[in-house]
């Protein structure tokens, strides 16, 4: 390097040179006359010397710069002097190619050799890692700076889509004015959009075996309800169940006890002017007793902090412990929208569910696995929730698919075929939905009848042994346990030409059977929802109902069962079972012949 470059490099500050001298005591002693040194033998006291008392020559400055040049610090004419260069940012540090290069950068950068700079850098890096700073929606806060700490909670899995504002004090949450419910599609019923609302969880919902994890409370912010002392109290379960209306708005009637609207199936309305107002209202003794008495206790019972989601979110609520209930009441309501969203795009970015934690990511729940495999929510990511009873979750835009009755009235054959083709593909089922594609049912192949007692059918194995000789070409496959992963349940039902089972939510697996499958349901009480005639049309199936009432009539030759007291168990006469199997084999032969003729 030439002298001109060395001259240009001699621009270090006095403080920099002092630090250099402290590392080079020999140079310091050679550059200062003995009379100028203090009377001490402790050489570490050199830092007490005033800079004005030093005789620093050009040779010393050149030596200082040469040391830096030997360390590999080079610069062009238009670069900033290394000693005045800013510290590397956390982002740029991560972009440095190799670990060795990063070690060299932090070893040779002169500013980092100073402990004060290192401490400042560590503080800056810590703050940056916590999520950064962003102005609150209100533009100011009580701390006087006008900033709120916002960003991803540490329990979130998706850093890009789970953006939220965190308020450690509900009083700091800016004013919210709720709107909705507004239909997402005027031609379809079931899904609604709310703005600026909060969601609670009903902890008084029914326990096993009739578990209902689908009931949610919705805090609706409306200042017009401020004078209603029971504004924050949700309607009783009885009042909600007695309402057949599929709407929530100006035309809906008010509850006579509470003086406000009740909401809709699965979403019970509560009113307040703010989160703080809701806390104060629910703390009233009379209101709390009303909620306990009517099994409408909410969590959080007192919100201590708020998570406000700015991105559009879909509220997924379903009966987690009831396969048939979650299928018919939740999924079949959503299917028509899924059909539209797949073509036009999903209007929400996040999915929030308190029915099952981690429903779309790691849960093995039947309904969760089904929606995951079919891609029910596109690329929307699940927003996890904290395991605490003090956090209230609020949303700028919340989509809610209302639970409906057992009849999937809005689901067309086209939509059902699209849905079933999707799950057949993703579950890797061996038999396709449309029999015309595979024609696996041939007279030369054994017909399979899938049977399941459900711990209620007493003499099933004995009955099967009695009819095996009469129908040697029939494969009677008895299932002992259906508490297995959904993929195994799907393969079992997919292998069947006929399903003969006691009633139960396991019948929801009927969505995995090929077209033209025959169903025979044995029931001492209510029938499952798969017996619905419209559903049978959608899956191109046929249903046979075997009930206890038919056995009382000796003139009736139809298959029947004898139910015990309490309808907990039943038995089937041998003649009735034989007649049932004969009917199934005859129906199957007729369907197979039709398919063979069509070939």
């Amino acid at each position: 390097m030439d002298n001109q470059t060395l001259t240009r490099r001699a621009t270090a500050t006095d403080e920099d040179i002092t630090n250099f001298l402290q590392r080079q005591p020999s140079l310091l002693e050679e550059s200062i006359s003995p009379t100028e040194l203090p009377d001490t033998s402790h050489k570490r006291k050199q830092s007490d010397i005033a800079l004005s008392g030093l005789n620093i020559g050009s040779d010393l400055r050149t030596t200082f710069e040469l040391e830096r040049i030997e360390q590999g610090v080079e610069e062009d004419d238009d670069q900033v002097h290394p000693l005045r260069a800013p510290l590397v940012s956390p982002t740029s540090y991560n972009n440095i190619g190799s670990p060795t290069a990063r070690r060299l950068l932090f070893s040779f950068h002169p500013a980092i050799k100073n402990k004060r700079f290192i401490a400042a850098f560590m503080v800056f890096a810590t703050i940056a890692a916590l999520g950064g700073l962003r102005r609150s929606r209100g533009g100011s806060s009580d701390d006087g700076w006008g900033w709120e700490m916002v960003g991803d909670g540490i329990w979130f899995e998706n850093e890009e889509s789970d953006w939220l504002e965190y308020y450690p004090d509900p009083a700091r949450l800016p004013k919210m004015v709720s709107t909705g419910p507004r239909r997402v599609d005027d031609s379809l019923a079931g899904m609604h959009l709310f703005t600026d609302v909060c969601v609670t969880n009903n902890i008084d919902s029914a326990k096993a075996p009739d578990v209902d994890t689908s009931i949610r409370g919705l805090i609706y912010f409306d200042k017009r309800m401020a004078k209603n002392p029971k504004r924050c109290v949700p309607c009783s379960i009885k009042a909600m169940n007695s309402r057949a209306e599929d709407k929530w708005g100006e035309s809906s009637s008010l509850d006579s006890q509470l003086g406000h609207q009740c909401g809709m199936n699965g979403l019970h309305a509560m009113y307040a002017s703010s989160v703080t107002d809701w806390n104060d209202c629910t703390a009233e003794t009379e209101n709390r007793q009303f909620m306990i008495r009517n099994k409408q206790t909410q969590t959080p019972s007192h919100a201590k902090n708020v998570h406000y989601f700015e991105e559009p979110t879909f509220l997924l609520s379903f009966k987690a412990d009831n396969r048939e209930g979650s299928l018919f009441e939740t999924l079949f309501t959503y299917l028509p929208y899924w059909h539209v969203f797949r073509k036009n795009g999903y209007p929400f970015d996040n999915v929030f569910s308190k029915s099952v934690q981690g429903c779309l990511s790691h849960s093995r729940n039947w309904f969760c696995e089904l929606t995951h495999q079919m891609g029910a929510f596109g690329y929307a990511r699940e927003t996890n929730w904290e395991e605490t009873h003090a956090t209230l979750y609020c949303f700028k835009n919340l989509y809610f698919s209302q639970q409906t009755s057992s009849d999937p009235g809005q689901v067309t054959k086209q939509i059902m075929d699209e849905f079933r083709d999707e799950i057949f593909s993703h579950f890797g089922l061996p038999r396709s939905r449309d029999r015309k594609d595979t024609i696996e049912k041939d007279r030369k192949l054994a017909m399979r009848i899938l049977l399941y007692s459900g711990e209620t059918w007493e003499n099933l194995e004995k009955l099967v042994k009695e009819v095996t000789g009469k129908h040697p070409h029939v494969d009677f496959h008895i299932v002992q346990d259906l508490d297995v992963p959904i993929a195994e349940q799907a393969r079992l039902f997919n292998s069947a030409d006929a399903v003969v089972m006691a009633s139960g939510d396991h019948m929801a697996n009927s969505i995995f059977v090929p077209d033209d499958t025959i169903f025979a349901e044995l029931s001492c009480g209510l029938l499952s929802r798969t017996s619905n005639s419209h559903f049978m049309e959608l899956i191109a199936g046929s249903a046979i109902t075997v009930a206890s009432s038919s056995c009382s009539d000796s003139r009736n030759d139809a298959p029947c069962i004898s139910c015990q007291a309490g309808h907990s168990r039943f038995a089937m006469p041998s003649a009735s079972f034989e007649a049932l199997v004969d009917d199934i084999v005859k129906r199957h032969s007729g369907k197979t012949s039709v398919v063979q003729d069509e070939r």
Side-chain angles (χ1 to χ4, degrees):
M1 186 169 291
D2 55 23
N3 294 333
Q4 183 179 1
T5 303
L6 289 176
T7 302
R8 185 175 66 252
R9 288 186 176 277
T11 58
T13 65
D14 292 338
E15 183 180 356
D16 296 330
I17 296 174
T18 300
N19 292 334
F20 172 78
L21 289 175
Q22 292 174 352
R23 300 194 306 270
Q24 305 291 339
S26 59
L27 290 175
L28 181 62
E29 294 172 357
E30 294 173 3
S31 303
I32 306 172
S33 63
T35 59
E36 296 173 326
L37 291 173
D39 186 14
T40 178
S41 61
H42 198 320
K43 293 185 179 181
R44 288 196 174 271
K45 300 281 289 183
Q46 294 171 5
S47 60
D48 294 335
I49 302 173
L51 290 176
S52 60
L54 298 180
N55 182 15
I56 301 175
S58 60
D59 293 339
L60 177 59
R61 291 184 179 273
T62 302
T63 303
F64 175 78
E65 293 297 329
L66 283 174
E67 183 197 57
R68 290 175 47 254
I69 294 172
E70 290 173 357
Q71 290 176 346
V73 180
E74 296 183 2
E75 63 178 329
D76 295 328
D77 292 346
D78 56 346
Q79 288 184 324
V80 179
H81 194 283
L83 288 176
R84 296 196 178 107
L87 286 171
V88 63
S89 68
T91 303
S92 59
Y93 169 74
N94 292 331
N95 293 331
I96 296 174
S98 65
T100 302
R102 290 194 288 267
R103 287 196 299 271
L104 287 173
L105 175 109
F106 276 78
S107 297
F108 293 140
H109 199 293
I112 294 175
K113 289 183 178 293
N114 188 307
K115 294 183 179 179
R116 294 181 179 178
F117 278 99
I118 295 176
F121 172 79
M122 294 302 295
V123 172
F124 171 78
T126 302
I127 294 176
L130 290 176
L133 295 175
R134 179 178 176 180
R135 281 198 179 276
S136 67
R137 294 181 300 115
S140 63
S141 65
D142 295 339
D143 57 14
W145 289 86
W147 293 85
E148 292 268 336
M149 180 68 73
V150 298
D152 298 339
I154 59 175
W155 63 93
F156 282 54
E157 296 180 1
N158 181 18
E159 295 182 357
E160 294 183 358
S161 59
D162 292 337
W163 183 260
L164 62 84
E165 291 181 359
Y166 172 71
Y167 296 92
D169 181 2
R172 301 174 65 183
L173 182 68
K175 182 180 179 181
M176 293 196 296
V177 178
S178 302
T179 63
R182 178 175 61 84
R183 274 196 178 184
V184 175
D185 190 327
D186 292 335
S187 62
L188 296 173
M191 185 177 292
H192 299 85
L193 173 63
F194 295 88
T195 62
D196 273 350
V197 292
C198 302
V199 174
T200 63
N201 188 34
N202 187 331
I203 62 175
D204 279 333
S205 57
K207 302 300 185 290
D210 301 318
V211 177
D212 187 355
T213 60
S214 64
I215 301 177
R216 298 288 172 266
L218 188 85
I219 304 178
Y220 197 92
F221 299 99
D222 188 345
K223 64 180 181 180
R224 294 175 297 179
M225 299 296 296
K227 295 182 179 181
N228 184 346
K230 296 187 180 299
R231 60 191 178 278
C232 61
V233 180
C235 297
S236 65
I237 301 294
K238 181 179 179 180
M240 291 297 301
N241 292 338
S242 63
R243 295 173 179 271
E245 54 192 348
D246 180 22
K247 55 191 175 183
W248 182 12
E250 296 296 335
S251 59
S252 298
S253 59
L254 303 180
D255 184 81
S256 57
Q257 287 184 295
L258 304 178
H260 63 71
Q261 296 175 6
C262 289
M264 58 181 63
N265 291 335
L267 202 61
H268 299 185
M270 297 172 286
Y271 291 84
S273 57
S274 66
V275 174
T276 303
D277 175 57
W278 184 77
N279 280 339
D280 295 339
C281 181
T282 56
E284 294 289 338
T285 302
E286 185 177 351
N287 292 339
R288 185 171 297 277
Q289 291 177 348
F290 185 93
M291 287 189 286
I292 294 175
R293 186 169 58 252
N294 289 280
K295 299 186 181 301
Q296 283 283 24
T297 304
Q298 305 294 312
T299 180
S301 57
H302 183 88
K304 296 182 179 179
N305 55 77
V306 177
H307 292 170
Y308 183 89
F309 292 84
E310 294 184 321
E311 292 187 342
T313 302
F314 179 79
L315 177 60
L316 177 60
S317 293
F318 59 95
K319 294 180 178 179
D321 290 353
N322 190 310
R323 288 167 287 191
E324 195 176 50
S326 61
L327 177 68
F328 279 82
E329 294 180 8
T330 302
L331 187 59
F332 284 165
T333 304
Y334 178 73
L335 273 186
Y337 291 92
W338 172 75
H339 174 72
V340 175
F341 294 159
R342 293 186 77 191
K343 299 177 181 179
N344 303 332
Y346 293 80
F348 43 81
D349 300 313
N350 298 323
V351 176
F352 181 81
S353 175
K354 272 209 166 185
S355 297
V356 174
Q357 176 73 290
C359 181
L360 302 183
S361 57
H362 59 269
S363 173
R364 291 294 177 261
N365 175 271
W366 186 90
F367 180 83
C368 294
E369 283 273 16
L370 178 62
T371 54
H372 174 74
Q373 291 296 334
M374 65 176 283
F377 310 107
Y379 292 103
R381 299 297 181 89
E382 182 179 17
T383 297
N384 290 334
W385 38 274
E386 287 183 304
E387 304 252 353
T388 177
H389 297 299
T391 302
L392 181 65
Y393 295 88
C394 302
F395 305 88
K396 184 176 182 178
N397 292 287
L398 184 69
Y399 290 83
F400 176 70
S401 184
Q402 182 182 1
Q403 299 169 22
T404 57
S405 61
S406 60
D407 185 3
Q410 296 188 126
V411 180
T412 64
K413 186 68 167 64
Q414 177 188 358
I415 295 175
M416 181 62 76
D417 289 349
E418 179 185 0
F419 160 66
R420 297 218 295 149
D421 287 341
E422 193 73 17
I423 60 176
F424 273 49
S425 173
H426 284 277
F427 278 101
L429 300 181
R431 304 172 72 191
S432 65
R433 174 192 58 81
D434 192 345
R435 184 185 300 191
K436 296 179 182 178
D437 293 339
T438 59
I439 312 299
E440 190 177 8
K441 296 182 178 180
D442 191 277
R443 293 183 186 275
K444 298 179 182 179
L445 300 177
M447 171 191 177
R448 167 169 280 199
I449 298 180
L450 190 68
L451 303 106
Y452 176 60
S453 66
E455 300 183 356
T456 58
W457 193 347
E458 290 184 340
N459 57 341
L460 175 58
E461 293 184 2
K462 177 184 176 182
L463 295 174
V464 170
K465 291 180 180 179
E466 293 175 351
V467 299
T468 300
K470 184 177 181 181
H471 299 285
H473 65 288
V474 176
D475 173 19
F476 293 95
H477 185 80
I478 301 177
V479 180
Q480 301 295 341
D481 184 17
L482 279 174
D483 188 17
V484 294
I486 183 176
E488 187 173 343
Q489 298 178 51
R491 287 191 292 268
L492 282 171
F493 275 74
N494 183 256
S495 68
D497 298 302
V499 175
V500 181
M501 295 185 176
S503 295
D505 74 325
H506 51 268
M507 296 295 286
N509 289 295
S510 56
I511 57 177
F512 299 114
V513 302
D515 289 352
D516 299 324
T517 299
I518 303 167
F519 292 87
E521 182 178 358
L522 288 67
S523 175
C524 291
L526 296 175
L527 295 172
S528 68
R529 299 177 183 182
T530 55
S531 62
N532 181 285
S533 59
H534 179 53
F535 175 72
M536 281 294 144
E537 292 176 2
L538 294 176
I539 64 173
S542 57
I544 302 173
T545 300
V546 181
S548 61
S549 58
S550 56
C551 281
S552 60
D553 188 356
S554 59
R555 297 171 297 177
N556 192 351
D557 295 332
C560 64
I561 56 176
S562 298
C563 297
Q564 297 180 359
H567 293 178
S568 59
R569 301 182 68 83
F570 65 85
M572 191 174 193
S574 299
S576 291
F577 185 74
E578 182 178 352
L580 176 62
V581 174
D582 291 344
D583 186 21
I584 291 174
V585 171
K586 181 179 179 181
R587 293 187 184 211
H588 174 262
S589 298
K591 292 179 179 294
T592 304
S593 300
V594 171
V595 173
Q596 288 178 334
D597 293 341
E598 291 178 351
R599 294 180 63 182

